[in-house]
Amino acid sequence: MSGRSPRFMILSIDGVPFGLMRRMLDEGVMPNLAKLEQGSRMRQMRSVQPTVSCVAWSCYMTGMNPAKHGIYGFIDRRDGGYDLAFPNSRMMAVDNIWQVLSKAGKKVFGMNVPGTYPPREVNGILIGGFLSPTVDKVAYPASESRYLQSIDYQIDSDAQLARQDKKAMLGNLDKTLQKRMEAMFHYLEQDWDFFHTHIMGSDRINHFLLSKVEENDSFFAPAFFDYYRKVDEYVGKLMDLIGDETPIMIFSDHGFCPIKYEVQLSRYLVETGWTVPAEQMQHPLSINPAKSKAYCLIPGRVYVNLKGREPGGVVPLEEYQQVREALKADLLKLRDPVTNEPVIERVLVREEIYWPSGSKSAAGMSPQDVAQAKGVFGKAADLIAVPHDGYDLKLGLGAQQTFVKTELEGMHTYHDAFMIARDVELPQDNLEIMMLTRPILKRLGVEPPADMDGEGDAVTPWE
Amino acid sequence: MDKLDELESQSIYIIREAYYHYKKLAVLWSIGKDSTTLVWLVRKAFFGKVPFPALHIDTSFKFPEMYKFRDEYSKKWGMDLKITMNKAALDAGMTCEKKLDCCNALKTNALKMAIAEHGFEALLLGIRRDEHGIRAKERYFSPRDESFQWNYQDQPPELWDQYKSQAEEKTHIRVHPLLGWTEVDIWRYLKREQVPITDLYFSKQGKRYRSIGCTTCCNPIESNARNIDEVIEELETTNTSERAGRAQDKEDTYTMQKLRALGYM
């Protein structure tokens, strides 16, 4: 294998849960990764709340909580109205790890990490993640697109295809993986300080096949493990190339579990009287603001329709805390229609898991100050509903039912991302994805930005 | 010389420079406020005449007011209007259900067809730097290769306003005389010059279009600005993006489709 080892290597495999990885290491599905794990025991790692890839990766690439970097989910409310906005790297308020390293003179490479589109200017190459619309726009510098086009590089597998035909999805996932790895080994021929390639197909295969694996489906269960075998073969080639000395991290950003129900939380807020839809519903946020005291964004991000803050706010500031408590109580009342088990495990308030730039915690802030916070922190949800595993929170403002089942079989979980690291000094306890930036910078001898979280008090509290 | 005079004279200089260099030149006219300002400037540059064709890429989905305006003023201003439509794609049933594909077929491919048919070497376009982040890197004279690729890292330097108007073969040049204008400059100029404009931009029942294109992809914004003065006043106080009302913002459309397929919506 030609090519040379970067000074720091990361291969991230999106959404592989610790438990599944343990099983695959133990049962011989991923022998090459198992070999790496012999010297550096796999650990469990916490993700982010709410547990979505773009937030998890934004926390990874900044080492900061969302109230500093500004990415709270895949959708936001557009400024000035009740319409949807789609955050991307333009909305990220701080430098990402490739920029921080670039400014320290390091040569960097990143490929397909969620939340990196449009790619920012770096000292090296940055290729955007799965929300990049076309290959000609995916890369910084733009000239790299020509190489990527020449190999028929795939930005992402086709999720629409997965909904229609799961067998066809498998072929599509293989092609996407093969092209990604071809590009990775191509770029590894150059000299890099920091090299990060991401595999997204694992998240897709888990979303669409996880229940089939649990049921031990005779076709899809073996096909599922075959995908991971292929990933492992590439891990083997990579390990041959980089040798035994290079610091490396192989990890996922969150776990996964089978879905019991997709839960249309906006519909539940309509049922409980908090949200009133607009007469003509055009999109998932078409609410009647004059009659709505609250609304939600995916997943489980509930906003108080606060007067003076929201464009058509109706809840006066003095009622903010009371409304939050009443909303919390209602959310916790939501029950599984069959088993009557609670759906929501806990409801967090914004100051519990977010803290603004220049601080390490928002715990001491009064509810009024929290409600009126400006800037990036002020865009946080007022309440974050955290579901029990198995209940995937969606929007569904106009949905016919609150509890539905679709082609999706798996959902993200918070506690159980995995981490295998060699020759990197990670925090000993309670590892979370936001803690990774510091040790990487340290290993490369680069000073972390002053406001970086991920140590001391600036970690996400969780028992 | 005030700012508008300066912008006007710079734009006219660029238009005349383009006319000098390219025998096969056209002005792209979408009927919106920017390209109508551009046509107005062309007329001023050549004493009331548009001495080269005006090209309208017709998706067939434009607002009826736009077609009416186009037909009325192309006649009034004596323009050589070329209309190109991707009929094959329309006959094959292309609609905006798949917005990226639709824009690609009915705009990009239609433009390619027009360039091939008429052999245009250069096109005047009414884009402005402040419209969209990606346009910040545009040049006044911007080469495009055969497949319309724009490599913003490999552009001729334009230092001290020395425009690079020569290009290699097999490219066409896009000329952007309005690059340095802002949205509010355009409105102040429209007012000063009394340039006619479609009334889609003015408020009716509390809503107006801030940016116009296809009916299928434009959403009006909440606004009470019923005339140019009120639009200018509104723009001086707003901080939302001009294209916020355009679902055609292709990245958002792509993102929405992708997130929907992944079950996020």
Side-chain angles (χ1 to χ4, degrees):
Chain A
M1 175 70 57
S2 68
R4 47 186 102 172
S5 178
R7 272 168 279 290
F8 197 112
M9 177 76 207
I10 291 181
L11 179 66
S12 48
I13 314 178
D14 204 285
V16 183
F18 179 89
L20 173 69
M21 184 51 86
R22 187 70 268 157
R23 176 177 161 188
M24 293 194 294
L25 295 174
D26 293 345
E27 293 181 358
V29 177
M30 304 193 81
N32 291 303
L33 199 51
K35 207 166 132 195
L36 176 66
E37 202 236 349
Q38 280 173 2
S40 38
R41 200 90 183 125
M42 178 165 74
R43 298 176 62 176
Q44 179 164 297
M45 180 168 71
R46 288 182 296 144
S47 182
V48 288
Q49 286 295 352
T51 309
V52 281
S53 293
C54 64
V55 184
W57 289 111
S58 297
C59 291
Y60 151 77
M61 74 178 78
T62 60
M64 296 184 195
N65 88 91
K68 293 183 182 177
H69 62 63
I71 306 296
Y72 288 102
F74 280 120
I75 57 173
D76 275 336
R77 181 178 60 70
R78 209 182 265 282
D79 282 345
Y82 295 87
D83 199 352
L84 297 178
F86 301 94
N88 60 25
S89 81
R90 284 190 201 103
M91 292 71 162
M92 187 177 274
V94 295
D95 281 352
N96 64 36
I97 189 168
W98 294 274
Q99 291 175 294
V100 172
L101 288 167
S102 292
K103 285 175 184 172
K106 303 293 178 190
K107 184 108 185 286
V108 298
F109 177 87
M111 175 159 60
N112 197 243
V113 181
T116 52
Y117 177 81
R120 292 181 168 188
E121 186 175 335
V122 295
N123 178 30
I125 296 172
L126 195 53
I127 298 168
F130 78 96
L131 288 176
S132 313
T134 51
V135 176
D136 66 317
K137 290 183 180 166
V138 76
Y140 176 89
S143 50
E144 288 308 318
S145 294
R146 295 193 184 222
Y147 161 72
L148 295 169
Q149 279 164 338
S150 77
I151 64 160
D152 193 20
Y153 176 81
Q154 305 287 302
I155 292 170
D156 192 28
S157 53
D158 183 351
Q160 199 55 45
L161 182 67
R163 286 189 172 249
Q164 290 152 3
D165 180 350
K166 289 185 177 176
K167 284 188 180 169
M169 171 190 83
L170 292 168
N172 187 246
L173 280 168
D174 280 350
K175 181 180 179 185
T176 307
L177 176 65
Q178 190 236 320
K179 296 297 174 185
R180 182 82 32 82
M181 294 295 105
E182 183 179 343
M184 176 175 85
F185 287 110
H186 166 79
Y187 286 113
L188 275 169
E189 288 175 7
Q190 299 176 38
D191 193 26
W192 303 100
D193 291 306
F194 178 70
F195 193 101
H196 181 167
T197 293
H198 183 69
I199 293 173
M200 196 73 211
S202 43
D203 176 271
R204 308 298 185 234
I205 203 168
N206 294 350
H207 268 301
F208 287 102
L209 290 184
L210 206 64
S211 292
K212 297 249 182 333
V213 175
E214 288 258 312
E215 294 156 13
N216 212 8
D217 180 281
S218 62
F219 177 81
F220 285 109
F224 178 90
F225 290 114
D226 276 348
Y227 178 79
Y228 283 100
R229 272 191 194 90
K230 284 171 199 145
V231 171
D232 187 69
E233 282 170 26
Y234 289 115
V235 170
K237 284 183 193 163
L238 177 66
M239 297 312 294
D240 287 347
L241 188 149
I242 70 169
D244 298 333
E245 305 292 325
T246 306
I248 180 169
M249 301 200 310
I250 298 185
F251 63 96
S252 63
D253 58 327
H254 55 77
F256 249 96
C257 72
I259 291 180
K260 291 178 193 153
Y261 287 106
E262 290 176 42
V263 181
Q264 308 290 8
L265 202 62
S266 292
R267 183 191 146 93
Y268 179 66
L269 291 180
V270 172
E271 279 174 9
T272 45
W274 291 104
T275 304
V276 175
E279 273 178 31
Q280 280 191 322
M281 241 186 281
Q282 293 175 327
H283 54 73
L285 202 51
S286 289
I287 63 163
N288 178 339
K291 294 182 179 168
S292 300
K293 284 190 163 185
Y295 62 89
C296 83
L297 292 175
I298 196 166
R301 294 154 61 202
V302 181
Y303 290 77
V304 175
N305 195 22
L306 188 69
K307 215 176 198 168
R309 184 187 73 183
E310 306 289 317
V314 291
V315 175
L317 181 62
E318 49 282 14
E319 288 175 26
Y320 175 73
Q321 185 60 355
Q322 192 190 329
V323 164
R324 281 207 302 185
E325 276 162 20
L327 267 166
K328 185 172 176 175
D330 273 351
L331 288 164
L332 289 169
K333 275 185 211 154
L334 183 57
R335 301 262 160 177
D336 184 300
V338 176
T339 64
N340 206 35
E341 295 286 323
V343 167
I344 305 296
E345 184 194 332
R346 61 172 88 181
V347 179
L348 302 163
V349 290
R350 59 157 64 159
E351 61 270 33
E352 276 180 278
I353 53 164
Y354 302 129
W355 55 94
S357 61
S359 72
K360 293 183 172 183
S361 164
M365 285 175 81
S366 72
Q368 272 76 10
D369 289 344
V370 167
Q372 294 174 296
K374 300 272 185 269
V376 177
F377 183 41
K379 289 179 184 287
D382 295 299
L383 298 150
I384 299 95
V386 180
H388 282 286
D389 288 354
Y391 300 98
D392 197 9
L393 301 184
K394 296 289 161 69
L395 292 176
L397 186 63
Q400 299 296 310
Q401 295 162 314
T402 303
F403 292 88
V404 294
K405 293 196 178 201
T406 71
E407 301 85 353
L408 287 174
E409 298 187 357
M411 63 171 278
H412 300 177
T413 52
Y414 175 71
H415 297 94
D416 56 342
F418 80 91
M419 163 61 73
I420 299 174
R422 179 178 75 190
D423 198 15
V424 191
E425 225 177 290
L426 294 175
Q428 283 304 307
D429 302 315
N430 239 336
L431 189 63
E432 64 173 304
I433 194 163
M434 190 172 74
M435 294 175 179
L436 302 182
T437 326
R438 272 176 191 282
I440 298 169
L441 295 178
K442 189 177 171 196
R443 192 70 184 72
L444 288 165
V446 173
E447 191 64 26
D451 204 20
M452 187 172 281
D453 298 324
E455 67 172 20
D457 293 335
V459 299
T460 312
W462 205 267
E463 17 6 284
Chain B
M1 207 191 236
D2 74 0
K3 189 187 175 194
L4 289 182
D5 290 332
E6 205 171 309
L7 287 168
E8 180 190 63
S9 97
Q10 186 191 33
S11 299
I12 286 176
Y13 179 85
I14 291 166
I15 290 164
R16 288 179 180 155
E17 190 74 358
Y19 182 65
Y20 169 74
H21 281 291
Y22 308 110
K23 283 197 181 69
K24 288 282 195 177
L25 177 67
V27 54
L28 207 59
W29 190 30
S30 72
I31 331 292
K33 65 183 189 314
D34 298 328
S35 65
T36 302
T37 300
L38 180 59
V39 168
W40 186 266
L41 287 162
V42 172
R43 293 179 68 238
K44 283 196 112 171
F46 301 103
F47 303 98
K49 192 173 154 44
V50 181
F52 38 77
L55 178 62
H56 181 224
I57 302 298
D58 187 2
T59 61
S60 83
F61 298 120
K62 303 288 176 193
F63 290 90
E65 291 90 334
M66 293 168 72
Y67 290 116
K68 189 167 163 267
F69 185 92
R70 177 190 74 186
D71 295 341
E72 184 182 341
Y73 283 93
S74 60
K75 210 174 278 171
K76 211 174 254 181
W77 291 339
M79 290 155 76
D80 174 13
L81 182 67
K82 311 270 189 221
I83 299 169
T84 297
M85 199 185 259
N86 187 347
K87 287 208 178 70
L90 284 167
D91 289 347
M94 179 57 76
T95 66
C96 66
E97 256 169 47
K98 284 190 163 184
K99 290 204 174 80
L100 274 179
D101 294 346
C102 183
C103 279
N104 198 33
L106 301 184
K107 290 185 179 172
T108 312
N109 288 344
L111 180 58
K112 281 183 189 172
M113 285 159 55
I115 289 174
E117 186 189 343
H118 301 290
F120 294 130
E121 297 166 283
L123 294 171
L124 297 171
L125 273 73
I127 69 164
R128 294 179 286 104
R129 274 212 178 99
D130 73 330
E131 260 178 282
H132 198 285
I134 188 69
R135 293 189 170 168
K137 290 189 164 66
E138 273 286 9
R139 298 283 162 86
Y140 288 94
F141 288 83
S142 171
R144 293 294 196 279
D145 70 10
E146 274 175 301
S147 55
F148 276 33
Q149 296 284 338
W150 169 49
N151 185 351
Y152 67 82
Q153 289 209 306
D154 180 24
Q155 302 191 88
E158 286 183 345
L159 303 175
W160 303 286
D161 289 344
Q162 298 299 301
Y163 308 118
K164 170 81 171 135
S165 53
Q166 306 291 321
E168 290 169 32
E169 279 180 31
K170 286 198 176 175
T171 59
H172 77 271
I173 291 274
R174 295 196 179 177
V175 185
H176 304 131
L178 301 184
L179 208 54
W181 296 54
T182 64
E183 185 183 9
V184 76
D185 292 333
I186 294 284
W187 281 107
R188 289 190 184 122
Y189 188 73
L190 291 170
K191 175 181 148 84
R192 186 181 93 172
E193 301 282 306
Q194 296 184 319
V195 182
I197 196 87
T198 102
D199 64 3
L200 290 165
Y201 288 108
F202 303 122
S203 174
K204 285 173 217 77
Q205 290 157 355
K207 282 173 191 275
R208 72 177 190 90
Y209 291 91
R210 194 166 159 194
S211 171
I212 60 174
C214 295
T215 52
T216 42
C217 292
C218 289
N219 292 317
I221 58 162
E222 309 266 339
S223 165
N224 293 319
R226 285 157 305 170
N227 53 49
I228 290 198
D229 288 321
E230 289 175 8
V231 168
I232 292 171
E233 192 190 328
E234 180 186 279
L235 290 175
E236 282 168 345
T237 53
T238 187
N239 58 3
T240 59
S241 122
E242 178 178 4
R243 296 173 79 88
R246 286 181 77 143
Q248 182 261 34
D249 193 344
K250 294 180 199 170
E251 282 167 17
D252 279 4
T253 307
Y254 175 82
T255 305
M256 179 111 89
Q257 284 168 0
K258 190 89 201 175
L259 294 179
R260 188 166 281 145
L262 287 168
Y264 286 110
M265 307 293 288

